[in-house]
Amino acid sequence: MPENDPWEYSLYIPNDLRAVTVSRRTLRLILTMHGLIRLVDVAELLATELVSNAVRHTKGPAALRVRWSPPGTLRIGAWDADPEPPEPPVVFGRAEDLDEEGRGLELVRACADGWGWHPLARHGNRGKYVWCELAG
């Protein structure tokens, strides 16, 4: 499939920390098969943070969505069943921010070309979708 054709994949995952590794490896395979190996390292980091947040901070299932839009935008997103907004990113560099928790969205903000979130409601289910984009 040429790099100029759009595509999208969704991976539905249980609320299980092992899903983070499954998501990361699946993403690597998708990008490699589509000739986007140059994006793999950063995309894996971003997906890991998004999926990890979805699994750690919610009680229900989650999903990873990966979408390529020509001429060169990769969107990575994680859906979860909690409609509450994600915690705002912590700004790196302050002594009080040395804790291991709470740095995921700051990594996303720092490494992605853009990111955001929006609430979702479908078939009576509520949740949110947190996404980021990489220019390819």
Side-chain angles (χ1 to χ4, degrees):
M1 180 179 286
E3 209 174 284
N4 291 331
D5 290 339
W7 49 259
E8 183 174 314
Y9 292 86
S10 294
L11 176 66
Y12 294 91
I13 55 179
N15 190 285
D16 183 330
L17 285 177
R18 293 173 289 195
V20 176
T21 300
V22 171
S23 297
R24 187 174 59 243
R25 290 181 179 170
T26 301
L27 176 63
R28 176 175 281 276
L29 180 60
I30 291 167
L31 295 179
T32 300
M33 296 304 296
H34 281 282
L36 296 169
I37 194 74
R38 68 189 177 277
L39 299 178
V40 167
D41 292 335
V42 174
E44 277 186 327
L45 172 68
L46 297 172
T48 297
E49 295 303 331
L50 295 178
V51 171
S52 177
N53 283 347
V55 172
R56 286 178 177 218
H57 301 296
T58 66
K59 302 223 183 289
L64 171 70
R65 179 180 287 163
V66 183
R67 184 176 74 204
W68 176 255
S69 299
T73 301
L74 181 69
R75 179 175 275 206
I76 302 165
W79 166 84
D80 66 55
D82 183 358
E84 293 301 312
E87 291 292 323
V90 174
V91 177
F92 288 139
R94 298 185 320 210
E96 62 269 20
D97 296 331
L98 295 177
D99 189 17
E100 288 293 316
E101 296 290 320
R103 296 184 297 181
L105 284 180
E106 178 58 21
L107 283 170
V108 171
R109 188 193 66 73
C111 295
D113 294 311
W115 81 279
W117 80 280
H118 57 271
L120 295 175
R122 187 174 175 189
H123 307 297
N125 296 323
R126 297 177 56 203
K128 70 176 164 297
Y129 183 66
V130 182
W131 57 268
C132 63
E133 291 182 340
L134 288 175

